[in-house]
């Protein structure tokens, strides 16, 4: 089928091609059979240019943007959909993938995770703080002068490192050191779509003009820095997960987003450079894996033994919002830590409403109450003004008042700037129904605090009732600084994206959660802590929230685990993190969902919250090879061509389809999906293999907590190991009985399977989903 084409792209290209001219160009990523280069061509690039010239007119030569050689064989370039169809007819072209634009999924966490620097034994000690490991961060670049990236007392750069520090006028060779050992940038894809970048607003270099990349890099591998704080909040020692690991920054995100062709080039470079872990806090819509540049790049990395960690996305708390869902990627959701920044609203009727904020500027006068108004009732376009969008507020209405704004559309801190410009003296930011009660502390440009949806409603009711009695509603905001030891924690952050997995419901995603709310980490100069252009404050550290912050926690932990267990594969490391994760918070209850206050489920937290110390000694691991992933893709009903686009391997699917089904990938969690179709009883089975990485002579017994309404059996119910490294198989049968559902309805129940030898508990969630077809 070489040269054949995936139907979905083919049809979309065909419809585009019929109406497209040469002007309707977009970037495509072209996968080539890597062993097919004719000897007449000196380089692959020479050959690719020749392939293009054969289908393009001589008057419109196309420039190749990137050539890929490590995670992928092929190139990216701009051409029309009609030309993409022509290119597809060439015998050596395996596939053509249209480019997507991705977006960012925007110091107490080491302590909260149990990584104490004083431990004489433990993960940091065992792994020498990750000193020989290299973490590649694919993001917005880095601000190298930060203390988090100093190289004091670090040994020489690992000899395997082949990468480079790209120097430019604003990024000198001294920007890199024994800590930041590599820095590159990729902008050809970005500029092919947006034209030449504006170098007054962003750096054509690895330097970070956004802050996101500096923040994520220091979470993964920042050095110990004391004292650290943001505007006086969260005082203490700042530290990354793997303080001695080396960093390599790959800048792919620019003002208009992160372009697939550039992301793939960064993956390609990171693999060639010799990184051990790749951390990627960006994402986009979920598409089949063979059309997903991140999934393709991550497979190429995992195939070379590199652990890839990616953020789950910030689309929560709704279901089916999780992104970066390929099974060879560790997909990380976000939880809270046991620290917050209370800033309460005191209303004129005496009620105190809890909120959160990071604000240290000129404060409101203590004891004084200020007039309070709801932005949406100030005349004009009520919708725009309720959201405090740029130019929507009437200065007459808000001057000298505290203004209640609704969340949505523009950034939370930008609303404060709109209020300030219109003459408001303070802001209360209210969640919408969809945001629920989840609160994010922001560095505001005026006295401001954030409150949950129910409390926002209560403040509006108070404003309404005051206007009915012709009295002025009043309020003030009381900032209470930093509070530690908060209970309950962790809580699943309301923005954290949730399952089920939209692409493969049989693979539970997210995999785990990690700290992602109000995380203190390094921050560049020239970017104010609020991210608002007019904010000229400078701070060495900033407090941000997002699955973007959760992902590098796991990247750093993976580096520590790899340093402690160099023989472990990426799948073994992920298994160790998943089977040792916990689901009970610090008040002894199942973790709650911040958006609703109800108990959260495996669709919110996956296997649970990471527990680094336990992950170092998991007892058993579920390992997965590249060929296992090929079998998984066969059972996903992908064509041989689709599979080759992802894996570079020519797949024989006959064996895979005989041997199993899509749920039989050796994954550390179990997800059974049943379509009822009027059947009364349904059943499925899972085959799994575990590898002993614990004690030589050990006997593991199984404990099953079946999901309600299901019968689950495990054979055998004991696994007897004689040596370390020994592998044993077991079979799980799941039987479910029909439940009453309306057409298109879904019912989901969860349980678990735990293998225990008395010392290790190897825990896997088990989820049974019943679907009633439409």
């Amino acid at each position: 089928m070489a040269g054949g084409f995936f139907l979905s792209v083919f049809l979309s290209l065909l419809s585009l091609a019929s109406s497209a001219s040469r002007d309707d160009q977009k970037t495509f990523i072209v996968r080539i059979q890597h062993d097919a280069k004719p000897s007449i061509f000196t380089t692959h690039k020479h050959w690719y240019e020749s392939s293009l010239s054969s289908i393009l007119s001589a008057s419109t030569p196309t420039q190749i943007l990137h050539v890929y050689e490590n995670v992928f064989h092929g190139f990216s370039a701009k051409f029309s959909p009609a030309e993409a169809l022509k290119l597809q007819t060439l015998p050596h072209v395996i596939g053509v993938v249209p480019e997507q634009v991705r977006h960012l999924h925007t110091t107490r966490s080491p302590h909260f995770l149990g990584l104490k620097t004083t431990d004489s034994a433990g993960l940091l000690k065992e792994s020498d703080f990750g000193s020989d490991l290299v973490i590649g961060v694919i993001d917005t670049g880095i601000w190298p002068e930060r203390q988090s990236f100093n190289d004091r007392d670090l040994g020489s750069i690992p000899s395997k490192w082949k990468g480079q520090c790209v120097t430019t006028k604003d990024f000198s060779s001294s920007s890199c050191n024994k800590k930041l050992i590599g820095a590159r940038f990729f902008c050809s894809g970005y500029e092919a779509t947006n034209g030449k970048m504006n170098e007054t607003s962003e750096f054509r270099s690895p330097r970070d003009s956004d802050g996101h990349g500096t923040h994520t890099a220091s979470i993964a591998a920042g050095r110990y820095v004391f004292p650290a704080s943001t505007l006086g909040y969260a005082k203490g020692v700042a530290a990354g997960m793997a303080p001695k690991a080396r960093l390599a920054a790959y800048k792919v995100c620019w003002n208009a987003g992160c372009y697939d062709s550039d992301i793939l080039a960064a993956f390609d470079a990171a693999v060639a450079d010799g990184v051990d872990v790749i951390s990627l806090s960006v994402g986009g819509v979920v598409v089949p894996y063979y059309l997903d540049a991140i999934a393709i790049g991550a497979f190429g990395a995992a195939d070379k033994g590199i652990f890839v960690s990616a953020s789950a996305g910030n689309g929560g708390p709704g279901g089916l919002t999780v992104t970066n869902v390929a099974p060879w990627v560790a997909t990380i959701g976000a939880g809270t830590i046991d620290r917050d920044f209370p800033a309460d609203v005191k209303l004129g009727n005496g009620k105190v409403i809890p909120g959160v904020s990071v604000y240290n500027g000129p404060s409101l006068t203590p004891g004084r109450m200020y007039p309070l108004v709801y932005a949406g009732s100030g005349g004009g376009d009520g919708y725009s003004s309720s959201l405090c969008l740029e130019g929507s507020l009437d200065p007459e209405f808000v001057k000298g008042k505290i203004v209640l704004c609704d969340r949505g559309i523009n950034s939370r801190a930008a609303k404060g700037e709109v209020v300030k410009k219109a003459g408001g003296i303070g802001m209360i930011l209210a969640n919408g129904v969809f945001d629920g009660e989840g609160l994010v502390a922001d560095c505001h440009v005026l006295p401001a605090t954030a409150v949950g949806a129910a409390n926002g409603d209560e403040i509006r009711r108070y404003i309404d009732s005051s206007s009915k009695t012709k009295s002025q509603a009043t309020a003030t905001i009381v900032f209470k600084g930093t509070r530690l030891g908060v209970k309950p924690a962790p809580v699943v952050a309301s923005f954290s994206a949730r399952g089920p997995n939209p692409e493969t419901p049989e693979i539970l995603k997210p995999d785990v959660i990690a700290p992602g709310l109000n995380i203190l980490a390094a921050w560049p100069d020239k970017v104010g802590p609020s991210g608002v252009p007019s904010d000229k404050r400078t701070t060495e550290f900033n407090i941000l929230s997002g699955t973007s912050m959760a992902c590098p926690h796991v990247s750093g932990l993976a580096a520590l685990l790899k340093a402690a267990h160099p023989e472990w594969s990426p799948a073994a490391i992920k298994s160790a993190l998943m089977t040792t994760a916990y689901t009970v918070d610090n008040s002894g209850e199942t973790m709650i969902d911040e958006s609703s206050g109800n108990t959260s489920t495996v669709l919110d937290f996956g296997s649970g919250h990471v527990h680094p110390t336990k992950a170092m000694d998991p007892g058993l691991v579920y390992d997965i090879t590249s060929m296992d992933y090929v079998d998984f893709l066969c059972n996903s009903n992908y064509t041989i061509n689709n599979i080759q686009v992802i894996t570079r391997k020519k797949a024989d699917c006959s064996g895979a389809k005989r041997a199993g089904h899509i749920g039989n990938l050796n994954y550390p969690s179990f997800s059974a999906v049943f379509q009822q179709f009027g059947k009364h009883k349904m059943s499925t089975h899972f085959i799994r293999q575990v590898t002993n990485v614990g004690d030589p002579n050990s006997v593991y017994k199984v404990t099953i907590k079946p999901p309600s309404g299901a019968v689950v059996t495990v054979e055998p119910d004991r696994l007897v190991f004689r040596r370390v490294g020994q592998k044993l198989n077991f079979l799980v049968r799941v039987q479910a009985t029909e439940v009453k559902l309306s057409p298109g309805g879904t019912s989901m129940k969860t349980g678990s399977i735990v293998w225990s030898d008395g010392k290790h508990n190897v825990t896997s969630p088990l989820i049974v989903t019943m679907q009633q077809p439409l």
Side-chain angles (χ1 to χ4, degrees), residues 370-377 397-398 401-405 463 472-473:
Y370 294 83
L372 169 68
V373 293
Y374 173 46
S377 56
F397 180 63
V398 303
K401 296 171 185 158
I402 292 176
V403 182
L404 178 71
C405 300
I463 295 171
Q472 172 67 58

Side-chain angles (χ1 to χ4, degrees), residues 445 555 655:
V445 295
S555 313

